[in-house]
Amino acid sequence: FPSVWKAFFNSLLLAVSQTAIILTVSSLAGYYISRFAFRGRSAFLQGMLVLHAFPAMTLIIPIFLLMYWVGLLDTLTSVVLVVVALELTFAMFVMKGFFD
């Protein structure tokens, strides 16, 4: 069994790194989407809405294959990347609403 402290620090590392990445990327993207008018803005927002509504369970096999091909199976980096990718659209919508 793994040590309790090792599991605690792994969880802490995951939480801090995911929060930092999502907060940084979503605040920059939300500000840009909210404040600047660019061509394709409505299509981009609709695409983000579709991505957010897409069920994560349908992505399990493609995510597994991608992590296998890249060589990131059974690493903390892959967990961070997957969670960031799945949660980023929601965070961008929240930050866009905040800046509006």
Coordinates of all heavy atoms in Angstrom, one line a residue:
F1 N 0.8 -1.2 0.0 CA 0.0 0.0 0.0 C 0.9 1.2 0.0 O 1.9 1.3 0.7 CB -0.9 0.0 1.2 CG -1.9 -1.1 1.2 CD1 -1.8 -2.2 2.0 CD2 -3.0 -1.0 0.3 CE1 -2.8 -3.2 2.0 CE2 -4.0 -2.0 0.3 CZ -3.9 -3.1 1.1
P2 N 0.4 2.3 -0.7 CA 1.3 3.5 -0.7 C 1.2 4.2 0.6 O 0.2 4.1 1.4 CB 0.6 4.4 -1.8 CG -0.7 3.9 -1.9 CD -0.7 2.4 -1.6
S3 N 2.2 5.0 0.9 CA 2.2 5.8 2.1 C 1.1 6.9 2.1 O 0.7 7.4 1.0 CB 3.5 6.5 2.3 OG 3.5 7.5 3.2
V4 N 0.5 7.1 3.2 CA -0.5 8.2 3.3 C 0.1 9.5 2.9 O -0.6 10.3 2.2 CB -1.1 8.2 4.8 CG1 -2.0 9.4 4.9 CG2 -1.8 6.9 5.1
W5 N 1.3 9.8 3.3 CA 1.9 11.1 3.0 C 2.2 11.2 1.5 O 2.0 12.3 0.9 CB 3.1 11.3 3.8 CG 2.8 11.5 5.2 CD1 3.1 10.6 6.2 CD2 2.1 12.6 5.8 NE1 2.6 11.1 7.4 CE2 2.0 12.3 7.2 CE3 1.5 13.7 5.4 CZ2 1.3 13.1 8.1 CZ3 0.8 14.6 6.2 CH2 0.7 14.2 7.6
K6 N 2.6 10.2 0.9 CA 2.8 10.2 -0.6 C 1.5 10.4 -1.3 O 1.5 11.2 -2.3 CB 3.4 8.9 -1.0 CG 3.8 8.9 -2.5 CD 4.4 7.6 -2.9 CE 4.7 7.6 -4.4 NZ 5.4 6.4 -4.9
A7 N 0.4 9.8 -0.9 CA -0.9 10.0 -1.5 C -1.4 11.4 -1.3 O -1.9 12.0 -2.2 CB -1.9 9.0 -1.0
F8 N -1.1 11.9 -0.1 CA -1.5 13.3 0.2 C -0.8 14.3 -0.7 O -1.4 15.2 -1.2 CB -1.3 13.6 1.7 CG -1.5 15.0 2.1 CD1 -2.8 15.5 2.2 CD2 -0.4 15.9 2.3 CE1 -3.0 16.9 2.5 CE2 -0.6 17.2 2.6 CZ -1.9 17.7 2.7
F9 N 0.5 14.1 -0.8 CA 1.3 15.1 -1.6 C 1.0 15.0 -3.1 O 1.0 15.9 -3.8 CB 2.8 15.0 -1.3 CG 3.2 15.5 0.0 CD1 3.7 14.8 1.0 CD2 2.9 16.9 0.3 CE1 4.0 15.3 2.2 CE2 3.3 17.4 1.5 CZ 3.8 16.6 2.5
N10 N 0.7 13.7 -3.6 CA 0.2 13.6 -4.9 C -1.1 14.3 -5.2 O -1.3 15.0 -6.2 CB 0.1 12.1 -5.3 CG 1.4 11.4 -5.5 OD1 2.4 12.1 -5.7 ND2 1.4 10.1 -5.5
S11 N -2.0 14.2 -4.2 CA -3.3 14.8 -4.4 C -3.1 16.3 -4.3 O -3.8 17.1 -5.1 CB -4.3 14.4 -3.3 OG -4.5 13.0 -3.3
L12 N -2.3 16.8 -3.4 CA -2.0 18.2 -3.3 C -1.4 18.8 -4.6 O -1.7 19.8 -5.1 CB -1.1 18.5 -2.1 CG -0.9 20.0 -1.8 CD1 -2.2 20.6 -1.3 CD2 0.2 20.1 -0.7
L13 N -0.4 18.0 -5.2 CA 0.2 18.4 -6.4 C -0.8 18.5 -7.6 O -0.8 19.4 -8.3 CB 1.3 17.4 -6.8 CG 2.0 17.6 -8.1 CD1 2.9 18.9 -8.1 CD2 2.8 16.4 -8.5
L14 N -1.7 17.5 -7.6 CA -2.7 17.5 -8.7 C -3.6 18.7 -8.5 O -3.9 19.4 -9.5 CB -3.5 16.2 -8.6 CG -2.8 15.0 -9.1 CD1 -3.7 13.7 -8.8 CD2 -2.5 15.0 -10.6
A15 N -4.1 18.9 -7.3 CA -5.1 20.0 -7.1 C -4.5 21.4 -7.4 O -5.1 22.2 -8.1 CB -5.6 20.0 -5.7
V16 N -3.3 21.6 -6.9 CA -2.6 22.9 -7.2 C -2.3 23.1 -8.6 O -2.5 24.2 -9.2 CB -1.4 23.0 -6.3 CG1 -0.5 24.2 -6.6 CG2 -1.8 23.1 -4.8
S17 N -1.7 22.1 -9.3 CA -1.3 22.3 -10.7 C -2.6 22.5 -11.6 O -2.6 23.3 -12.5 CB -0.5 21.2 -11.2 OG -1.2 19.9 -11.1
Q18 N -3.6 21.7 -11.4 CA -4.8 21.8 -12.2 C -5.5 23.2 -12.0 O -5.9 23.9 -12.9 CB -5.8 20.7 -11.8 CG -5.4 19.4 -12.3 CD -6.2 18.3 -11.7 OE1 -7.2 18.5 -11.0 NE2 -5.8 17.0 -11.9
T19 N -5.5 23.6 -10.7 CA -6.2 24.9 -10.4 C -5.4 26.0 -11.1 O -5.9 27.0 -11.6 CB -6.2 25.1 -8.9 OG1 -7.0 24.1 -8.3 CG2 -6.9 26.4 -8.6
A20 N -4.0 26.0 -11.0 CA -3.2 27.1 -11.6 C -3.4 27.1 -13.1 O -3.5 28.2 -13.7 CB -1.8 26.8 -11.2
I21 N -3.3 26.0 -13.7 CA -3.4 26.0 -15.2 C -4.8 26.4 -15.6 O -4.9 27.3 -16.5 CB -3.1 24.5 -15.7 CG1 -1.7 24.2 -15.5 CG2 -3.4 24.5 -17.2 CD1 -1.3 22.8 -15.8
I22 N -5.9 25.9 -15.0 CA -7.2 26.2 -15.4 C -7.5 27.7 -15.1 O -8.1 28.4 -16.0 CB -8.2 25.3 -14.7 CG1 -8.2 23.9 -15.3 CG2 -9.7 25.9 -14.9 CD1 -9.0 22.9 -14.6
L23 N -7.1 28.2 -14.0 CA -7.3 29.6 -13.7 C -6.6 30.5 -14.6 O -7.1 31.5 -15.1 CB -6.9 29.9 -12.2 CG -7.2 31.3 -11.7 CD1 -8.7 31.4 -11.6 CD2 -6.5 31.5 -10.4
T24 N -5.3 30.2 -14.9 CA -4.5 31.1 -15.8 C -5.1 31.1 -17.2 O -5.4 32.2 -17.8 CB -3.1 30.6 -15.9 OG1 -2.6 30.6 -14.5 CG2 -2.2 31.5 -16.8
V25 N -5.3 29.9 -17.8 CA -5.8 29.8 -19.2 C -7.2 30.4 -19.3 O -7.5 31.1 -20.3 CB -5.7 28.4 -19.7 CG1 -6.3 28.2 -21.1 CG2 -4.2 28.0 -19.8
S26 N -8.1 30.0 -18.4 CA -9.5 30.5 -18.5 C -9.7 31.9 -18.3 O -10.5 32.6 -18.9 CB -10.4 29.7 -17.6 OG -10.1 30.0 -16.3
S27 N -8.9 32.5 -17.4 CA -9.0 34.0 -17.2 C -8.5 34.8 -18.4 O -9.1 35.7 -18.8 CB -8.3 34.4 -15.9 OG -6.9 34.1 -16.0
L28 N -7.4 34.3 -19.0 CA -6.9 35.0 -20.2 C -7.9 34.8 -21.4 O -8.2 35.8 -22.1 CB -5.5 34.5 -20.6 CG -4.4 34.8 -19.6 CD1 -3.1 34.0 -20.0 CD2 -4.2 36.3 -19.6
A29 N -8.4 33.6 -21.6 CA -9.3 33.3 -22.7 C -10.7 34.0 -22.5 O -11.3 34.6 -23.4 CB -9.5 31.8 -22.9
G30 N -11.1 34.0 -21.2 CA -12.4 34.6 -20.9 C -12.4 36.1 -21.1 O -13.3 36.7 -21.6
Y31 N -11.3 36.7 -20.8 CA -11.1 38.2 -21.0 C -11.1 38.5 -22.5 O -11.8 39.4 -22.9 CB -9.8 38.7 -20.3 CG -9.6 40.2 -20.5 CD1 -10.3 41.0 -19.6 CD2 -8.8 40.7 -21.4 CE1 -10.1 42.4 -19.8 CE2 -8.6 42.0 -21.6 CZ -9.3 42.9 -20.8 OH -9.2 44.2 -20.9
Y32 N -10.4 37.7 -23.2 CA -10.3 37.9 -24.7 C -11.6 37.7 -25.3 O -12.1 38.6 -26.2 CB -9.2 37.0 -25.3 CG -9.0 37.3 -26.8 CD1 -8.2 38.3 -27.2 CD2 -9.6 36.5 -27.7 CE1 -8.0 38.6 -28.5 CE2 -9.5 36.8 -29.1 CZ -8.7 37.8 -29.5 OH -8.5 38.1 -30.8
I33 N -12.3 36.7 -25.0 CA -13.7 36.4 -25.6 C -14.7 37.5 -25.2 O -15.5 37.9 -26.0 CB -14.2 35.0 -25.2 CG1 -13.3 33.9 -25.7 CG2 -15.6 34.8 -25.6 CD1 -13.5 32.6 -25.2
S34 N -14.6 38.0 -24.0 CA -15.5 39.0 -23.5 C -15.3 40.4 -24.1 O -16.2 41.1 -24.4 CB -15.5 39.0 -22.0 OG -16.3 40.0 -21.5
R35 N -14.0 40.8 -24.2 CA -13.7 42.1 -24.5 C -13.5 42.4 -26.0 O -13.6 43.6 -26.4 CB -12.5 42.6 -23.7 CG -12.7 42.6 -22.2 CD -13.7 43.6 -21.8 NE -13.8 43.6 -20.4 CZ -14.9 44.0 -19.7 NH1 -15.9 44.4 -20.4 NH2 -14.9 44.0 -18.4
F36 N -13.1 41.4 -26.7 CA -12.7 41.7 -28.1 C -13.6 41.0 -29.1 O -14.0 39.9 -28.9 CB -11.3 41.2 -28.4 CG -10.2 41.8 -27.6 CD1 -9.6 41.1 -26.5 CD2 -9.9 43.2 -27.8 CE1 -8.6 41.8 -25.7 CE2 -8.9 43.8 -27.0 CZ -8.3 43.1 -26.0
A37 N -14.0 41.8 -30.1 CA -14.9 41.3 -31.2 C -14.0 40.7 -32.3 O -13.1 41.5 -32.8 CB -15.8 42.3 -31.7
F38 N -14.1 39.5 -32.6 CA -13.3 38.9 -33.7 C -14.2 38.0 -34.6 O -15.3 37.6 -34.1 CB -12.1 38.0 -33.1 CG -12.5 37.0 -32.1 CD1 -12.8 35.7 -32.5 CD2 -12.6 37.3 -30.8 CE1 -13.2 34.7 -31.7 CE2 -13.0 36.3 -29.9 CZ -13.3 35.0 -30.3
R39 N -13.7 37.8 -35.8 CA -14.5 37.0 -36.7 C -14.6 35.6 -36.2 O -13.6 35.0 -35.8 CB -13.8 37.0 -38.1 CG -14.7 36.4 -39.1 CD -14.1 36.4 -40.5 NE -13.1 37.5 -40.6 CZ -12.2 37.6 -41.6 NH1 -12.3 36.7 -42.6 NH2 -11.3 38.5 -41.7
G40 N -15.8 35.0 -36.2 CA -16.0 33.7 -35.7 C -16.2 33.6 -34.2 O -16.2 32.5 -33.7
R41 N -16.5 34.7 -33.6 CA -16.7 34.7 -32.1 C -17.9 33.8 -31.7 O -17.8 33.0 -30.8 CB -16.8 36.1 -31.6 CG -17.0 36.2 -30.1 CD -17.0 37.6 -29.7 NE -17.2 37.7 -28.3 CZ -18.1 38.5 -27.7 NH1 -18.8 39.3 -28.4 NH2 -18.2 38.5 -26.4
S42 N -19.0 34.0 -32.4 CA -20.2 33.3 -32.1 C -20.0 31.8 -32.4 O -20.5 31.0 -31.6 CB -21.4 33.9 -32.8 OG -21.3 33.7 -34.2
A43 N -19.4 31.5 -33.5 CA -19.1 30.1 -33.8 C -18.2 29.4 -32.7 O -18.4 28.3 -32.4 CB -18.5 29.9 -35.2
F44 N -17.2 30.2 -32.3 CA -16.3 29.7 -31.2 C -17.1 29.4 -29.9 O -16.9 28.4 -29.3 CB -15.2 30.7 -31.0 CG -14.2 30.3 -30.0 CD1 -13.3 29.4 -30.2 CD2 -14.2 30.9 -28.7 CE1 -12.4 29.0 -29.2 CE2 -13.4 30.6 -27.7 CZ -12.4 29.6 -28.0
L45 N -18.0 30.4 -29.6 CA -18.8 30.2 -28.3 C -19.7 29.0 -28.5 O -19.9 28.2 -27.5 CB -19.5 31.4 -28.0 CG -18.7 32.6 -27.5 CD1 -19.5 33.9 -27.4 CD2 -18.1 32.3 -26.2
Q46 N -20.3 28.8 -29.6 CA -21.2 27.7 -29.9 C -20.4 26.4 -29.8 O -20.8 25.4 -29.3 CB -21.9 27.8 -31.2 CG -23.0 28.9 -31.2 CD -23.5 29.1 -32.6 OE1 -23.1 28.5 -33.5 NE2 -24.6 29.9 -32.6
G47 N -19.2 26.4 -30.4 CA -18.3 25.2 -30.3 C -17.9 24.8 -28.9 O -17.9 23.7 -28.6
M48 N -17.6 25.9 -28.1 CA -17.3 25.6 -26.7 C -18.5 25.0 -26.0 O -18.3 24.1 -25.1 CB -16.8 26.9 -26.0 CG -15.4 27.2 -26.2 SD -14.7 28.6 -25.3 CE -15.9 28.9 -24.1
L49 N -19.7 25.5 -26.3 CA -20.9 25.0 -25.6 C -21.1 23.5 -26.0 O -21.4 22.7 -25.1 CB -22.1 25.8 -26.0 CG -23.4 25.5 -25.3 CD1 -23.3 25.7 -23.8 CD2 -24.5 26.3 -25.9
V50 N -20.9 23.2 -27.3 CA -21.0 21.8 -27.7 C -20.0 20.9 -27.0 O -20.2 19.8 -26.5 CB -20.9 21.7 -29.2 CG1 -20.7 20.2 -29.7 CG2 -22.1 22.3 -29.9
L51 N -18.7 21.4 -26.9 CA -17.7 20.6 -26.2 C -18.0 20.4 -24.7 O -17.7 19.4 -24.2 CB -16.3 21.4 -26.3 CG -15.6 21.2 -27.6 CD1 -14.4 22.1 -27.7 CD2 -15.3 19.8 -27.9
H52 N -18.6 21.4 -24.1 CA -18.9 21.3 -22.7 C -20.1 20.3 -22.5 O -20.1 19.6 -21.5 CB -19.3 22.7 -22.1 CG -19.7 22.6 -20.7 ND1 -18.7 22.3 -19.7 CD2 -20.8 22.8 -20.0 CE1 -19.3 22.3 -18.5 NE2 -20.6 22.6 -18.7
A53 N -21.0 20.3 -23.5 CA -22.2 19.4 -23.3 C -21.8 18.0 -23.7 O -22.6 17.0 -23.5 CB -23.3 19.9 -24.2
F54 N -20.7 17.7 -24.3 CA -20.2 16.4 -24.8 C -19.9 15.6 -23.5 O -19.1 16.0 -22.7 CB -19.0 16.5 -25.6 CG -18.8 15.4 -26.6 CD1 -19.6 15.3 -27.7 CD2 -17.8 14.5 -26.4 CE1 -19.4 14.3 -28.6 CE2 -17.6 13.4 -27.2 CZ -18.4 13.3 -28.4
P55 N -20.5 14.4 -23.4 CA -20.3 13.6 -22.2 C -18.8 13.0 -22.1 O -18.3 12.6 -23.1 CB -21.3 12.4 -22.3 CG -21.8 12.4 -23.7 CD -21.5 13.8 -24.3
A56 N -18.2 13.2 -21.0 CA -16.8 12.8 -20.8 C -16.7 11.2 -20.9 O -15.6 10.8 -21.3 CB -16.3 13.2 -19.5
M57 N -17.7 10.5 -20.6 CA -17.6 9.0 -20.7 C -17.3 8.5 -22.1 O -16.8 7.5 -22.3 CB -18.9 8.4 -20.2 CG -19.0 8.5 -18.7 SD -17.7 7.8 -17.7 CE -18.0 6.1 -17.9
T58 N -17.8 9.3 -23.1 CA -17.6 8.9 -24.5 C -16.1 9.2 -25.0 O -15.7 8.7 -26.0 CB -18.5 9.6 -25.5 OG1 -18.3 11.0 -25.3 CG2 -19.9 9.3 -25.2
L59 N -15.4 9.9 -24.2 CA -14.0 10.2 -24.5 C -13.0 9.3 -23.9 O -11.8 9.5 -24.0 CB -13.7 11.7 -24.1 CG -14.5 12.7 -24.8 CD1 -14.2 14.1 -24.2 CD2 -14.2 12.7 -26.3
I60 N -13.4 8.3 -23.1 CA -12.5 7.5 -22.3 C -11.5 6.7 -23.3 O -10.3 6.8 -23.0 CB -13.2 6.5 -21.4 CG1 -13.9 7.3 -20.3 CG2 -12.3 5.4 -20.9 CD1 -14.7 6.4 -19.4
I61 N -12.0 6.1 -24.3 CA -11.1 5.3 -25.2 C -10.2 6.2 -26.0 O -9.0 5.9 -26.0 CB -12.0 4.4 -26.1 CG1 -12.6 3.3 -25.2 CG2 -11.1 3.7 -27.1 CD1 -13.6 2.4 -25.9
P62 N -10.7 7.3 -26.6 CA -9.7 8.2 -27.3 C -8.7 8.8 -26.4 O -7.5 8.9 -26.8 CB -10.6 9.3 -27.9 CG -12.0 8.7 -28.0 CD -12.1 7.7 -26.9
I63 N -9.1 9.1 -25.2 CA -8.1 9.7 -24.2 C -7.0 8.6 -23.9 O -5.8 8.9 -23.8 CB -8.8 10.3 -23.0 CG1 -9.5 11.5 -23.3 CG2 -7.8 10.5 -21.9 CD1 -10.4 12.1 -22.2
F64 N -7.5 7.4 -23.6 CA -6.6 6.3 -23.3 C -5.6 6.1 -24.4 O -4.4 5.9 -24.2 CB -7.3 5.0 -23.0 CG -6.4 3.9 -22.8 CD1 -5.8 3.7 -21.5 CD2 -6.2 3.0 -23.8 CE1 -5.0 2.6 -21.3 CE2 -5.4 1.9 -23.6 CZ -4.8 1.7 -22.4
L65 N -6.1 6.0 -25.7 CA -5.2 5.8 -26.8 C -4.2 6.9 -27.0 O -3.1 6.7 -27.3 CB -6.1 5.6 -28.1 CG -6.9 4.3 -28.1 CD1 -7.8 4.3 -29.4 CD2 -6.0 3.1 -28.1
L66 N -4.7 8.1 -26.8 CA -3.8 9.3 -26.9 C -2.7 9.2 -25.9 O -1.5 9.5 -26.2 CB -4.6 10.6 -26.8 CG -3.9 11.9 -27.1 CD1 -3.5 11.9 -28.6 CD2 -4.7 13.0 -26.7
M67 N -3.1 8.9 -24.6 CA -2.1 8.9 -23.6 C -1.1 7.7 -23.8 O 0.1 7.8 -23.5 CB -2.7 8.7 -22.2 CG -3.4 10.0 -21.8 SD -2.3 11.4 -21.7 CE -3.5 12.7 -21.9
Y68 N -1.6 6.6 -24.4 CA -0.7 5.5 -24.7 C 0.3 5.8 -25.8 O 1.4 5.5 -25.7 CB -1.6 4.3 -25.2 CG -0.8 3.1 -25.6 CD1 -0.2 2.3 -24.7 CD2 -0.8 2.8 -27.0 CE1 0.5 1.2 -25.1 CE2 -0.1 1.7 -27.4 CZ 0.6 0.9 -26.5 OH 1.3 -0.2 -26.9
W69 N -0.2 6.5 -26.9 CA 0.7 6.9 -28.0 C 1.7 7.9 -27.5 O 2.8 7.9 -28.0 CB -0.1 7.4 -29.2 CG -1.0 6.4 -29.8 CD1 -0.7 5.0 -29.9 CD2 -2.2 6.6 -30.5 NE1 -1.7 4.4 -30.6 CE2 -2.6 5.3 -31.0 CE3 -3.0 7.7 -30.7 CZ2 -3.8 5.1 -31.7 CZ3 -4.2 7.5 -31.4 CH2 -4.6 6.3 -31.9
V70 N 1.4 8.8 -26.7 CA 2.3 9.8 -26.2 C 3.3 9.2 -25.2 O 4.3 9.8 -25.0 CB 1.5 11.0 -25.7 CG1 2.4 12.1 -25.1 CG2 0.7 11.6 -26.8
G71 N 2.9 8.2 -24.5 CA 3.7 7.6 -23.5 C 3.5 8.1 -22.1 O 4.4 8.1 -21.3
L72 N 2.3 8.6 -21.8 CA 2.0 9.2 -20.5 C 1.0 8.4 -19.7 O 0.5 8.9 -18.7 CB 1.3 10.6 -20.7 CG 2.2 11.7 -21.2 CD1 1.5 13.0 -21.5 CD2 3.4 11.9 -20.3
L73 N 0.9 7.1 -20.0 CA 0.1 6.2 -19.2 C 0.7 6.1 -17.8 O 1.9 6.0 -17.6 CB -0.1 4.8 -19.8 CG -1.1 4.7 -20.9 CD1 -1.2 3.3 -21.4 CD2 -2.5 5.2 -20.5
D74 N -0.2 6.1 -16.8 CA 0.2 5.9 -15.4 C 1.2 7.0 -14.9 O 2.1 6.7 -14.2 CB 0.8 4.5 -15.2 CG 0.8 4.0 -13.8 OD1 -0.1 4.5 -13.0 OD2 1.6 3.2 -13.4
T75 N 0.9 8.2 -15.3 CA 1.7 9.4 -14.8 C 0.7 10.4 -14.2 O -0.4 10.5 -14.6 CB 2.5 10.0 -15.9 OG1 1.7 10.5 -16.9 CG2 3.5 9.0 -16.4
L76 N 1.3 11.2 -13.3 CA 0.5 12.4 -12.8 C 0.2 13.4 -13.9 O -0.8 14.1 -13.9 CB 1.1 13.0 -11.6 CG 1.2 12.1 -10.4 CD1 2.0 12.8 -9.3 CD2 -0.2 11.8 -9.9
T77 N 1.1 13.5 -14.8 CA 1.0 14.5 -15.9 C -0.2 14.2 -16.7 O -1.0 15.2 -17.1 CB 2.2 14.5 -16.8 OG1 3.4 14.7 -16.0 CG2 2.2 15.6 -17.8
S78 N -0.5 13.0 -17.0 CA -1.7 12.6 -17.8 C -3.0 13.0 -17.1 O -3.9 13.4 -17.7 CB -1.6 11.2 -18.2 OG -1.7 10.3 -17.1
V79 N -3.0 12.8 -15.8 CA -4.2 13.1 -15.0 C -4.4 14.6 -15.0 O -5.5 15.1 -15.2 CB -4.0 12.6 -13.6 CG1 -5.2 13.0 -12.7 CG2 -3.9 11.1 -13.5
V80 N -3.4 15.4 -14.9 CA -3.5 16.8 -14.9 C -4.0 17.3 -16.3 O -4.9 18.1 -16.4 CB -2.1 17.5 -14.6 CG1 -2.2 19.0 -14.9 CG2 -1.8 17.3 -13.2
L81 N -3.4 16.8 -17.4 CA -3.8 17.2 -18.7 C -5.3 16.8 -19.0 O -6.0 17.6 -19.6 CB -2.9 16.5 -19.7 CG -1.5 17.0 -19.8 CD1 -0.6 16.2 -20.8 CD2 -1.4 18.5 -20.1
V82 N -5.7 15.6 -18.6 CA -7.1 15.2 -18.9 C -8.1 16.0 -18.1 O -9.1 16.5 -18.7 CB -7.2 13.7 -18.6 CG1 -8.7 13.3 -18.6 CG2 -6.4 12.9 -19.6
V83 N -7.8 16.3 -16.9 CA -8.8 17.1 -16.1 C -8.8 18.5 -16.6 O -9.9 19.1 -16.7 CB -8.4 17.0 -14.6 CG1 -9.3 17.9 -13.8 CG2 -8.6 15.6 -14.1
V84 N -7.7 19.1 -16.9 CA -7.6 20.4 -17.4 C -8.4 20.5 -18.7 O -9.2 21.4 -19.0 CB -6.2 20.9 -17.6 CG1 -6.1 22.1 -18.5 CG2 -5.5 21.2 -16.3
A85 N -8.2 19.5 -19.6 CA -8.9 19.6 -20.9 C -10.4 19.4 -20.7 O -11.2 20.1 -21.5 CB -8.4 18.4 -21.8
L86 N -10.9 18.6 -19.8 CA -12.3 18.4 -19.6 C -13.0 19.6 -18.9 O -14.1 19.9 -19.1 CB -12.6 17.1 -18.8 CG -12.2 15.8 -19.5 CD1 -12.4 14.6 -18.6 CD2 -13.0 15.7 -20.8
E87 N -12.3 20.3 -18.0 CA -12.8 21.4 -17.2 C -12.6 22.8 -17.8 O -13.2 23.7 -17.3 CB -12.3 21.3 -15.8 CG -12.6 20.1 -15.1 CD -14.1 19.9 -14.9 OE1 -14.9 20.9 -14.7 OE2 -14.6 18.7 -15.0
L88 N -11.8 22.9 -18.8 CA -11.4 24.2 -19.3 C -12.6 25.0 -20.0 O -12.7 26.2 -19.8 CB -10.3 24.1 -20.3 CG -9.5 25.4 -20.6 CD1 -8.9 26.0 -19.3 CD2 -8.3 25.1 -21.5
T89 N -13.5 24.3 -20.7 CA -14.6 25.0 -21.4 C -15.5 25.6 -20.3 O -16.0 26.7 -20.5 CB -15.4 24.0 -22.3 OG1 -15.8 22.9 -21.5 CG2 -14.5 23.5 -23.4
F90 N -15.8 24.9 -19.3 CA -16.7 25.4 -18.2 C -16.0 26.6 -17.6 O -16.7 27.7 -17.4 CB -17.0 24.4 -17.2 CG -17.9 24.9 -16.1 CD1 -19.2 25.2 -16.2 CD2 -17.3 25.1 -14.8 CE1 -19.9 25.7 -15.2 CE2 -18.0 25.6 -13.8 CZ -19.4 25.9 -14.0
A91 N -14.8 26.5 -17.3 CA -14.1 27.7 -16.6 C -14.0 28.9 -17.5 O -14.1 30.0 -17.1 CB -12.7 27.2 -16.2
M92 N -13.9 28.6 -18.8 CA -13.8 29.8 -19.8 C -15.2 30.5 -19.8 O -15.3 31.7 -19.9 CB -13.4 29.3 -21.2 CG -11.9 29.0 -21.2 SD -11.4 28.2 -22.7 CE -11.9 29.2 -24.0
F93 N -16.3 29.7 -19.8 CA -17.6 30.3 -19.8 C -17.8 31.1 -18.5 O -18.4 32.2 -18.5 CB -18.7 29.2 -19.9 CG -19.1 28.9 -21.3 CD1 -19.0 27.6 -21.7 CD2 -19.7 29.9 -22.1 CE1 -19.4 27.3 -23.0 CE2 -20.1 29.6 -23.4 CZ -19.9 28.3 -23.8
V94 N -17.4 30.6 -17.4 CA -17.5 31.3 -16.1 C -16.7 32.6 -16.2 O -17.2 33.7 -15.8 CB -17.1 30.4 -14.9 CG1 -17.0 31.2 -13.7 CG2 -18.1 29.3 -14.8
M95 N -15.5 32.6 -16.6 CA -14.7 33.8 -16.7 C -15.2 34.8 -17.7 O -15.2 36.0 -17.5 CB -13.2 33.4 -17.0 CG -12.6 32.6 -15.9 SD -12.7 33.4 -14.3 CE -11.5 34.6 -14.4
K96 N -15.8 34.3 -18.8 CA -16.4 35.2 -19.8 C -17.5 35.9 -19.2 O -17.7 37.1 -19.3 CB -16.8 34.4 -21.0 CG -17.4 35.4 -22.1 CD -18.2 34.6 -23.1 CE -19.0 35.5 -24.0 NZ -20.0 36.3 -23.3
G97 N -18.4 35.2 -18.4 CA -19.5 35.8 -17.8 C -19.1 36.8 -16.7 O -19.7 37.8 -16.5
F98 N -18.0 36.5 -16.0 CA -17.4 37.4 -15.0 C -17.0 38.7 -15.7 O -17.3 39.8 -15.2 CB -16.3 36.7 -14.3 CG -15.6 37.7 -13.3 CD1 -16.2 38.0 -12.1 CD2 -14.4 38.2 -13.6 CE1 -15.5 38.8 -11.2 CE2 -13.7 39.0 -12.7 CZ -14.3 39.3 -11.5
F99 N -16.3 38.6 -16.8 CA -15.8 39.8 -17.4 C -16.9 40.6 -18.2 O -16.7 41.8 -18.4 CB -14.6 39.4 -18.4 CG -13.3 39.1 -17.7 CD1 -12.8 37.8 -17.9 CD2 -12.7 39.9 -16.8 CE1 -11.6 37.5 -17.3 CE2 -11.6 39.6 -16.2 CZ -11.0 38.3 -16.4
D100 N -17.9 39.9 -18.6 CA -19.1 40.6 -19.2 C -19.7 41.5 -18.2 O -20.1 42.6 -18.4 CB -20.1 39.6 -19.7 CG -19.7 39.1 -21.1 OD1 -18.8 39.6 -21.7 OD2 -20.3 38.0 -21.5

